[in-house]
Amino acid sequence: MKIIANPFEVKEYLKTVPMRIGFVPTMGALHEGHLSLIKKAKEENDFVVVSIFVNPTQFLQGEDLDSYPKKDAADKKICELAGVDLLFMPNAEGMYGVDEVTLQAPNVRGYVLEGTSRPGHFSGVLQVVMKLLNIVQPTKAYFGKKDAQQLHLITLMVQNFYMSVEIVPVDTVRESDGLAMSSRNVYLSQEEHQEALKISKSLKMATQLVMQKNFVSSEIKNAMRNTLAPLEISYVEILNRNFELLQEVEIGNTIVLVEALVGRTRLLDNLWL
Ligand code: AMP
């Protein structure tokens, strides 16, 4: 496995790779969720690139940029064992200049849900993903459905800017107890981990109601809020795949999204119906 830090060097190196390139952008501290993206990329491409970059522009003042879990040595091993061909590990100086052209997340869909508590977060995400996609120029790029709003906005960016890459959504990987895997789960104490299970339980509750043919969004959201209590809820929302509010669940076109605060850790999860 080749490891490169310099973006220009990556571009040069990939010129010698005339194959289908699959790309998995990450912030490191890799877990089974990341691995399922890598696995899918391996299956569908001839050459797999993973990037590890904790992107400063998507963190707001006071967020966990400086304490974000870092496991470079373990991550390199995991990538090697997973059969990654190129690991791109840039630093902030290599990725950003001063007074740059920037990207702006869309006014509505970039500033609702996670964008409400993290205004500007998605502009930073789009900025770095645009850079990464231009450096690697993959055939396909893999993103987790767990970060549904991020996935939606990246797909929108690729359409809006007529980019050639195919964005591939990948299902959420969970712990055996139901908690969606996340690099930030290491912040949770044992008690908080137990509390956090209310999030996936609330989604199970939504599934049960829909299976009983209750499609009314307000009723499903109420039942979810009851399951989540006493967690501090950032949002519980039922949207269509275009991120518009739904009064009633439409099977095949619905995402149920939840974000709650467990201790000081913001956790998100969702259900695609
Ligand atoms: P991150 O390192 O948290 O920025 O995540 C990198 C990529 O992995 C993103 O596309 C995430 O949506 C995806 N991802 C994170 N957690 C999971 C998970 N539990 N299951 C599937 N994909 C995930």
Side-chain angles (χ1 to χ4, degrees):
M1 181 179 75
K2 184 93 179 156
I3 302 178
I4 305 181
N6 184 300
F8 295 104
E9 216 177 297
V10 170
K11 280 179 84 86
E12 273 310 303
Y13 187 76
L14 289 176
K15 274 186 192 158
T16 63
V17 176
M19 301 181 275
R20 292 172 302 171
I21 297 177
F23 179 39
V24 180
T26 80
M27 297 208 299
L30 301 179
H31 50 67
E32 293 287 334
H34 298 114
L35 271 176
S36 80
L37 272 63
I38 295 172
K39 199 162 157 243
K40 194 150 193 207
K42 288 276 302 172
E43 282 163 13
E44 297 182 351
N45 301 275
D46 310 302
F47 189 95
V48 170
V49 182
V50 170
S51 66
I52 295 180
F53 179 52
V54 182
N55 170 43
T57 67
Q58 71 190 68
F59 287 78
L60 273 67
Q61 206 85 48
E63 289 188 345
D64 57 345
L65 173 62
D66 295 329
S67 57
Y68 194 84
K70 228 174 163 22
K71 297 188 178 165
D72 284 356
D75 287 349
K76 283 179 194 169
K77 275 233 164 68
I78 290 171
C79 286
E80 180 111 53
L81 288 172
V84 171
D85 298 288
L86 170 62
L87 178 57
F88 175 35
M89 298 180 80
N91 54 39
E93 294 71 36
M95 288 291 279
Y96 289 102
V98 281
D99 196 25
E100 287 206 326
V101 175
T102 55
L103 273 176
Q104 174 69 43
N107 287 328
V108 178
R109 284 175 282 180
Y111 289 86
V112 293
L113 305 171
E114 200 182 352
T116 308
S117 48
R118 308 183 75 189
H121 164 71
F122 287 115
S123 298
V125 170
L126 294 178
Q127 182 85 1
V128 79
V129 172
M130 172 71 96
K131 281 175 188 267
L132 291 168
L133 291 175
N134 284 338
I135 293 164
V136 176
Q137 295 187 32
T139 318
K140 297 184 180 187
Y142 297 79
F143 293 89
K145 286 183 178 177
K146 196 198 93 175
D147 298 290
Q149 193 173 7
Q150 166 175 289
L151 169 63
H152 176 72
L153 293 173
I154 289 168
T155 307
L156 190 66
M157 174 180 80
V158 165
Q159 284 167 10
N160 291 169
F161 288 89
Y162 303 96
M163 297 164 74
S164 303
V165 61
E166 181 185 335
I167 301 298
V168 183
V170 182
D171 288 340
T172 300
V173 176
R174 299 174 179 283
E175 307 274 0
S176 54
D177 58 15
L179 183 67
M181 288 198 181
S182 161
S183 305
R184 288 190 167 103
N185 288 353
V186 297
Y187 296 151
L188 301 173
S189 67
Q190 257 177 15
E191 297 79 55
E192 286 171 343
H193 185 115
Q194 288 307 310
E195 278 293 284
L197 296 181
K198 291 192 167 127
I199 296 174
S200 52
K201 282 188 186 140
S202 75
L203 293 170
K204 277 197 196 117
M205 167 62 75
T207 308
Q208 267 173 22
L209 288 174
V210 169
M211 279 167 63
Q212 291 161 12
K213 306 245 178 302
N214 184 345
F215 298 120
V216 181
S217 296
S218 57
E219 292 179 18
I220 297 170
K221 288 195 287 187
N222 277 340
M224 287 177 67
R225 286 177 178 279
N226 288 337
T227 309
L228 287 162
L231 290 183
E232 187 184 317
I233 300 167
S234 306
Y235 57 80
V236 172
E237 216 45 271
I238 299 184
L239 308 177
N240 66 18
R241 301 282 166 89
N242 203 29
F243 266 67
E244 295 151 338
L245 285 179
L246 280 179
Q247 300 305 319
E248 291 211 351
V249 166
E250 295 169 5
I251 298 297
N253 186 32
T254 299
I255 313 176
V256 182
L257 300 109
V258 51
E259 183 186 284
L261 205 63
V262 181
R264 299 188 57 213
T265 308
R266 243 174 237 294
L267 295 175
L268 29 108
D269 203 347
N270 57 60
L271 169 71
W272 296 53
L273 290 169

